[in-house]
Amino acid sequence: EDQVTQSPEALRLQEGESSSLNCSYTVSGLRGLFWYRQDPGKGPEFLFTLYSAGEEKEKERLKATLTKKESFLHITAPKPEDSATYLCAVQKTSGSRLTFGEGTQLTVNP
Amino acid sequence: EAQVTQNPRYLITVTGKKLTVTCSQNMNHEYMSWYRQDPGLGLRQIYYSMNVEVTDKGDVPEGYKVSRKEKRNFPLILESPSPNQTSLYFCASSFRGTSGRELGEQYFGPGTRLTVT
């Protein structure tokens, strides 16, 4: 069965304290892995797409990496405005469904 | 402005009363999808559409119907809502990649909070 597991469920950081969020997946063939950010009461907002192991993408304080079994979202020197729930999702090669993980709720304290 | 709109944003209804949640996008996207979000269960895909007149089931399609008669619109229909369909619903759209199978970045609507009593 396809699974997407995110850890930790919740993470509290001090402003400037770098850390990483994990998304591990078990699917029979990965077409793409997506990262989204969701603020309370709003729809998810796209961050990155990764397609193959070894790929990395960066945007401001965020950097996403991909291996054959997991993806990491690295947050460097976070700010309070980075507080949100971060979601990852996978698309298999065999179709166009998207399977989301349950998310990591990140809180950055000033 | 590029956007996905959903209506209504909030809806309280009773068991068995048919309802439709509309979704419209102005970006000429081929792919559209419906999700529900529940605490502890995350975002789960209900139905998706690769293009006009092409729809397919996601992970939790039971109790829902969709149609894609126009490229911009993708309504979600609950023929006989039940309390277990109380949830936050999101519509999303994206382009398809050059091979036709990859998904581009999805744009999400603002959500529809549905309560079925």
Side-chain angles (χ1 to χ4, degrees):
Chain A
E1 183 182 333
D2 300 334
Q3 278 199 319
V4 179
T5 304
Q6 291 188 244
S7 61
E9 288 184 19
L11 181 63
R12 285 187 175 274
L13 300 173
Q14 288 299 122
E15 185 170 3
E17 179 188 1
S18 302
S19 189
S20 296
L21 313 182
N22 177 263
C23 172
S24 64
Y25 60 91
T26 51
V27 296
S28 52
L30 179 74
R31 186 178 295 280
L33 185 142
F34 304 81
W35 282 98
Y36 287 85
R37 168 195 171 124
Q38 186 174 24
D39 293 302
K42 294 191 174 182
E45 179 184 332
F46 173 81
L47 294 173
F48 304 108
T49 308
L50 302 166
Y51 293 106
S52 56
E55 191 174 358
E56 299 182 352
K57 289 193 177 172
E58 286 188 68
K59 179 180 178 180
E60 296 179 359
R61 294 178 292 283
L62 300 176
K63 178 180 176 180
T65 62
L66 181 65
T67 71
K68 289 188 177 179
K69 292 186 177 181
E70 58 192 349
S71 176
F72 291 94
L73 185 65
H74 307 277
I75 303 176
T76 302
K79 299 182 178 182
E81 54 261 43
D82 294 322
S83 297
T85 296
Y86 290 85
L87 303 168
C88 77
V90 299
Q91 181 193 6
K92 299 194 307 183
T93 52
S94 59
S96 297
R97 286 189 191 181
L98 268 191
T99 301
F100 278 81
E102 291 186 33
T104 293
Q105 185 174 2
L106 174 66
T107 303
V108 182
N109 296 314
Chain B
E1 180 191 353
Q3 61 182 349
V4 177
T5 56
Q6 296 178 225
N7 282 292
R9 294 288 315 280
Y10 303 91
L11 180 60
I12 300 174
T13 190
V14 296
T15 299
K17 185 177 181 182
K18 181 179 178 179
L19 66 93
T20 299
V21 184
T22 65
C23 173
S24 183
Q25 50 95 3
N26 62 0
M27 295 165 281
N28 202 35
H29 286 163
E30 298 96 349
Y31 184 91
M32 296 188 74
S33 181
W34 277 102
Y35 300 89
R36 60 178 290 174
Q37 188 170 38
D38 303 287
L41 295 175
L43 265 173
R44 293 178 293 167
Q45 194 171 38
I46 303 171
Y47 270 95
Y48 63 92
S49 169
M50 296 293 284
N51 215 325
V52 176
E53 303 291 1
V54 180
T55 62
D56 210 344
K57 296 177 181 179
D59 292 321
V60 288
E62 295 78 20
Y64 304 95
K65 285 177 59 177
V66 293
S67 68
R68 186 92 181 273
K69 293 182 170 52
E70 304 167 283
K71 197 170 187 179
R72 63 183 294 127
N73 296 322
F74 191 45
L76 179 70
I77 303 157
L78 284 71
E79 295 268 2
S80 182
S82 62
N84 64 12
Q85 292 178 298
T86 292
S87 186
L88 179 59
Y89 291 85
F90 289 103
C91 180
S93 72
S94 73
F95 283 116
R96 289 158 53 185
T98 50
S99 76
R101 303 302 295 180
E102 310 102 356
L103 298 178
E105 64 175 275
Q106 287 197 71
Y107 290 77
F108 282 79
T112 295
R113 188 166 292 282
L114 172 65
T115 302
V116 184
T117 61

